[in-house]
Amino acid sequence: MFSTGRMVAIGVSLFALICLVSTYDYSRGRVPQTESALVSEVLAATTARECGRDATEIVSRHLPAGIEQAEAERILATIAIVPPRPWFWTPSTETATTWTGDTLEALRTIKTTAFGTNLLRIHLTFGDGKLRRLAAEVICRFG
């Protein structure tokens, strides 16, 4: 009915189609599940291809200048996603907080795909126990 050459061609075509669909699907990434309104807003305003995008305006709505340091740290602790459960790759998430004097740098995963991760980097500077300055950006890590 079918020659060996045709069977091989059909098999290769099906494999290529499956790879194409999987690559497209996982390169977009799953919409992360999160209970953080801040993460939801940042994701709504950005796409996976927007690396280095300034997110200061969005973050400042959730962490306004003058907020107490303890409250800001509590809000930072709520920035999290539930990573997707894909079948051919293991999602990596990053949560890091570093203090340098009165400046806190927080790095949180806001989206993860098979090909990279989008992170929200937030720099907070405190004085007298209150937030004085804020800067935030979406960064990407590939691989």
Side-chain angles (χ1 to χ4, degrees):
M1 182 169 197
F2 288 109
S3 68
T4 304
R6 281 191 174 163
M7 291 296 287
V8 169
I10 290 171
V12 169
S13 298
L14 285 174
F15 179 74
L17 182 62
I18 290 169
C19 288
L20 178 66
V21 169
S22 296
T23 300
Y24 176 73
D25 185 38
Y26 287 99
S27 68
R28 290 183 301 129
R30 302 281 188 228
V31 175
Q33 294 177 354
T34 182
E35 293 185 15
S36 170
L38 192 153
V39 172
S40 295
E41 268 192 68
V42 170
L43 288 172
T46 63
T47 65
R49 293 182 187 90
E50 289 186 298
C51 298
R53 184 186 198 292
D54 183 23
T56 303
E57 182 182 327
I58 296 167
V59 174
S60 66
R61 287 193 290 257
H62 296 271
L63 294 164
I67 191 173
E68 295 288 329
Q69 181 176 335
E71 180 64 14
E73 289 179 8
R74 187 193 64 73
I75 292 169
L76 287 176
T78 66
I79 300 173
I81 63 167
V82 177
R85 302 196 187 281
W87 54 275
F88 75 93
W89 60 285
T90 304
S92 65
T93 58
E94 186 171 343
T95 301
T97 304
T98 307
W99 279 96
T100 307
D102 288 339
T103 303
L104 178 143
E105 179 182 346
L107 201 58
R108 303 289 190 269
T109 300
I110 59 171
K111 187 174 186 179
T112 184
T113 70
F115 305 107
T117 304
N118 288 23
L119 301 154
L120 180 62
R121 183 186 323 187
I122 305 171
H123 293 272
L124 304 168
T125 303
F126 295 95
D128 299 323
K130 295 186 186 263
L131 180 62
R132 298 294 178 218
R133 290 190 325 207
L134 168 106
E137 68 177 330
V138 175
I139 60 173
C140 301
R141 291 197 178 150
F142 299 100

